[in-house]
Amino acid sequence: MDGLLLDTEGMYTVVQQRLAARFSKEFTWALKAKMMGKKAIEAARILVAELELEGKITPEQFLLEREEALDEMFPLAPLMPGAERLLRHLAAHGVPICLATSSHLRHYTLKTTNHQELFSLFNHRVTGDQISNGKPAPDIFLHAAGMWQPAPHPSSCLVFEDAPSGVAAAKAAGMWCVMVPDPNLDPALCGQADQVLRSLEDFRPEQWGLPPFPADGAPGQPDGAGQAGPA
């Protein structure tokens, strides 16, 4: 969701850069890449360890300070390019879709404040607080697929991700994965994905057995076609 459907990654970066600077440390993109897609406490532990802040701030304290700033920013989160067109297109054609995000429910609610109708198009939703083992473990995507009965086979599921840990989780689950990485991300971290795109605007559904976008760019009319896929 973050950095794929909603433009929130920049918010995380700004806040974490401020906190790192307070300890005369630099929050780099190499560090951010290690944290992306992780559950909050896991990401906080990585930051504290990588910046050698043990004894200066705990992961729990870091999260408290970070959340105070982010809570004011999240409701302003805009959609990423291509996100609305894709979601409305898949929903219009009856393609089963599930949101699987490492964000916990409270943050999900804040981030989608201005996009509730669009996010209601998902058939199911899984948030990070529902899962014991975060990405790169496959649990969140397997749980997402299991919300349908009968559950689709993993090989019939297509995952959209922006984070290396999320791509690893999708592949560990036995699913296909389209990656839309931040342009600042090292290309070497994108190798596991089955397809890498610059933007969701570049996604071509027909390449994955899904109904193509109409020529005019509108969602189009349902035709019964579809393929199960957590997103």
Side-chain angles (χ1 to χ4, degrees):
M1 180 176 76
D2 294 288
L4 179 74
L5 302 178
L6 292 173
D7 190 5
T8 52
E9 285 297 339
M11 298 176 182
Y12 282 104
T13 299
V14 168
V15 172
Q16 288 166 170
Q17 283 174 337
R18 289 176 187 166
L19 289 170
R22 201 174 81 209
F23 297 99
S24 300
K25 300 288 187 177
E26 183 182 2
F27 181 75
T28 65
W29 248 97
L31 174 53
K32 182 178 177 70
K34 295 180 181 180
M35 298 170 63
M36 288 176 67
K38 303 279 189 179
K39 295 180 72 170
I41 188 60
E42 295 171 357
R45 288 171 181 151
I46 291 171
L47 181 141
V48 170
E50 291 286 327
L51 296 185
E52 300 178 342
L53 297 178
E54 295 92 342
K56 299 177 181 177
I57 189 172
T58 67
E60 292 77 11
Q61 289 171 329
F62 166 78
L63 285 182
L64 285 174
E65 293 193 35
R66 189 182 75 169
E67 291 209 2
E68 184 177 344
L70 289 175
D71 282 358
E72 298 178 2
M73 302 170 73
F74 281 155
L76 305 176
L79 293 168
M80 293 292 287
E84 181 168 8
R85 181 182 71 151
L86 177 59
L87 291 180
R88 293 198 185 281
H89 177 75
L90 295 177
H93 286 276
V95 178
I97 51 177
C98 178
L99 178 73
T101 175
S102 296
S103 292
H104 53 69
L105 182 58
R106 190 177 73 82
H107 272 180
Y108 163 82
T109 302
L110 285 172
K111 293 169 183 176
T112 58
T113 297
N114 293 319
H115 311 291
Q116 293 182 22
E117 184 273 332
L118 181 64
F119 278 77
S120 72
L121 297 178
F122 285 101
N123 302 107
H124 302 292
R125 179 190 69 214
V126 183
T127 52
D129 43 334
Q130 296 177 259
I131 303 297
S132 298
N133 299 312
K135 303 171 186 177
D139 302 36
I140 193 166
F141 293 128
L142 293 174
H143 184 89
M147 298 187 79
W148 282 280
Q149 293 300 323
H153 191 275
S155 64
S156 71
C157 297
L158 176 63
V159 175
F160 293 84
E161 264 289 348
D162 71 306
S165 63
V167 175
K171 300 312 296 178
M175 300 178 180
W176 299 94
C177 188
V178 172
M179 187 182 194
V180 187
D182 188 287
N184 292 296
L185 189 69
D186 184 348
L189 299 176
C190 303
Q192 275 192 286
D194 297 293
Q195 185 178 49
V196 179
L197 302 176
R198 176 191 60 83
S199 164
L200 284 177
E201 294 180 313
D202 297 332
F203 180 67
R204 298 293 176 261
E206 64 274 17
Q207 295 178 352
W208 296 94
L210 297 167
F213 289 123
D216 62 3
Q221 297 299 316
D223 64 5
Q227 174 180 343

